[in-house]
Structures are given as C-alpha cells and as structure tokens.
Amino acid sequence: TQLLEQSPQFLSIQEGENLTVYCNSSSVFSSLQWYRQEPGEGPVLLVTVVTGGEVKKLKRLTFQFGDARKDSSLHITAAQPGDTGLYLCAGLGGNMLTFGGGTRLMVKP
Amino acid sequence: DTAVSQTPKYLVTQMGNDKSIKCEQNLGHDTMYWYKQDSKKFLKIMFSYNNKELIINETVPNRFSPKSPDKAHLNLHINSLELGDSAVYFCASSQGTGGVGYTFGSGTRLTVV
C-alpha cells in the first residue's frame, strides 16, 4: 500500500508569513497533485507535477516535486486569510490516486 | 453549470436502511470515482470506473455497490447501512486514468443514526 504523509497536520500563522507544507512517501509516484478543500466542498485541484525536480508556481504558491518523485512541497509566500483551508497532496501510482492526511491551514488577519 | 454534481448533498438515515447517492459529470470524462472522507478528513478511494467498466475496487464491504449506466453517471448504492458508514462521500471524474483534469463533486454527507 502506498502511503503519503503530510506535515504539519495543522498550521496557524499570521497574515504575511511564509509557510511550507511537506508531503512524503517511500513510494515512487508517476505524478503528484495538490488540492485545496474548503468546508462543505470537494477538493479542488491546484497543480499536477510530473517530472522529478519539477517546480511550478501559482501566484504566491510554489510546488516542487522531489528528484526521486517520492515527495513534494508546497510553499506559500506572504500568506493571506483567503489561503485558509485544507491542503491535500495526492500521488498517482498504478492508476490510483492516494491522498495524504491533509494540512489544515489557518491564516489570521 | 456544475461539472460534477452529486445528489443528495445531505442524507440522514437509520441503521439498516438502503440508500443511493447519484453522481453526474458534464465534462466528457471517461473515468469516474467514488471516495470516502472520514471525520479526520482522510480521503480514500472506493471505486473507479473507466468507460463504464470497474477498474478499481478497494477493500469496501459488498454492501456498497456502484453502478455506471453510462460514462457520465456513477451511482453508489449502500445496503444495510451501519453507523460506521457515516462520512462524506465524494464523486470525481478525470480524463483517462492518468489523473488528467481530476474534478471532485461537492460531496454527500451521510449520517447514519
């Protein structure tokens, strides 16, 4: 069974701070996705990284796929209250998407 | 237009009942999924259909039976509901099985009392 561990599980920061969320596994994935989920809604896909070492930017969010395609990180610069939510990483392997346990982020004004 | 729509949004029912959740996608995707999200927000895949054929069937009690009448629909029927079935169930779709365009519905919160 492929497992993805996310850290930290919870993060509460002030507006303007930077943060990094990590997603680690002992398994290799063909690609890795990051989602954001709001209360009462389904996860919304933010980005897919495919190549080892790949870096993608989405405004203030920077996503990196590890060289060995086993881990990934999400860095948010100058966090804003609108970034508050549950961030989920998910690895694709064997036609199946395996989700991490999620990081609940709260950004206080 | 909602891309992946699930009904109902909320479902409260008694133990032992049988219930169904419906899912429809208008994205033209050929692969659909059912996920279960528990109270700790952990999302786990239950089933996946590609072109109406079952391709993933994780360890799920056989009280759960998915049905895909066509590529745009994937319904979930649950027999003899148990307290532990209480969770949020998400339908999702993608183009192919490579995770392209993965889109989730807004979920069905099932509460078994």
Side-chain angles (χ1 to χ4, degrees):
Chain A
T1 304
Q2 296 174 312
L3 291 174
L4 270 171
E5 292 190 12
Q6 275 187 248
S7 61
Q9 289 185 346
F10 300 96
L11 192 53
S12 180
I13 59 172
Q14 292 295 132
E15 182 176 1
E17 292 183 13
N18 301 333
L19 67 114
T20 302
V21 177
Y22 298 94
C23 179
N24 295 299
S25 175
S26 57
S27 303
V28 176
F29 294 101
S30 56
S31 66
L32 196 133
Q33 300 179 339
W34 284 92
Y35 292 81
R36 183 174 153 201
Q37 186 177 13
E38 305 273 3
E41 297 295 327
V44 174
L45 180 64
L46 297 174
V47 78
T48 301
V49 284
V50 180
T51 309
E54 182 177 1
V55 176
K56 278 193 175 177
K57 291 193 174 185
L58 191 66
K59 296 183 181 177
R60 293 174 294 100
L61 278 59
T62 302
F63 305 86
Q64 184 161 8
F65 202 10
D67 290 340
R69 291 187 287 128
K70 293 182 180 180
D71 53 82
S72 181
S73 63
L74 157 61
H75 183 79
I76 303 180
T77 304
Q80 298 177 0
D83 295 329
T84 294
L86 177 68
Y87 289 82
L88 297 158
C89 66
L92 184 68
N95 296 331
M96 201 163 80
L97 206 58
T98 301
F99 278 84
T103 294
R104 188 172 297 282
L105 171 66
M106 177 175 289
V107 183
K108 300 175 187 174
Chain B
D1 266 353
T2 305
V4 180
S5 58
Q6 297 179 226
T7 53
K9 176 82 174 169
Y10 300 96
L11 186 51
V12 181
T13 187
Q14 290 188 323
M15 279 175 56
N17 283 351
D18 303 338
K19 290 293 177 185
S20 291
I21 308 172
K22 294 187 176 181
C23 178
E24 175 181 4
Q25 55 95 3
N26 63 6
L27 297 167
H29 288 166
D30 59 3
T31 307
M32 296 185 72
Y33 312 83
W34 277 110
Y35 281 84
K36 180 180 179 181
Q37 189 171 44
D38 61 24
S39 57
K40 294 185 178 179
K41 302 300 181 186
F42 186 67
L43 259 173
K44 189 159 190 239
I45 192 165
M46 300 172 68
F47 302 103
S48 175
Y49 272 74
N50 176 255
N51 285 313
K52 302 195 301 174
E53 283 195 32
L54 181 66
I55 57 168
I56 293 174
N57 183 352
E58 285 297 284
T59 310
V60 177
N62 57 15
R63 299 181 294 104
F64 290 77
S65 51
K67 280 191 174 60
S68 182
D70 56 58
K71 285 197 304 184
H73 295 84
L74 180 61
N75 304 322
L76 183 64
H77 187 76
I78 316 170
N79 289 326
S80 304
L81 278 155
E82 300 177 357
L83 292 176
D85 296 333
S86 295
V88 182
Y89 292 84
F90 286 98
C91 177
S93 72
S94 70
Q95 184 54 38
T97 55
V100 175
Y102 227 100
T103 306
F104 280 83
S106 58
T108 295
R109 181 175 292 278
L110 171 66
T111 304
V112 183
V113 296

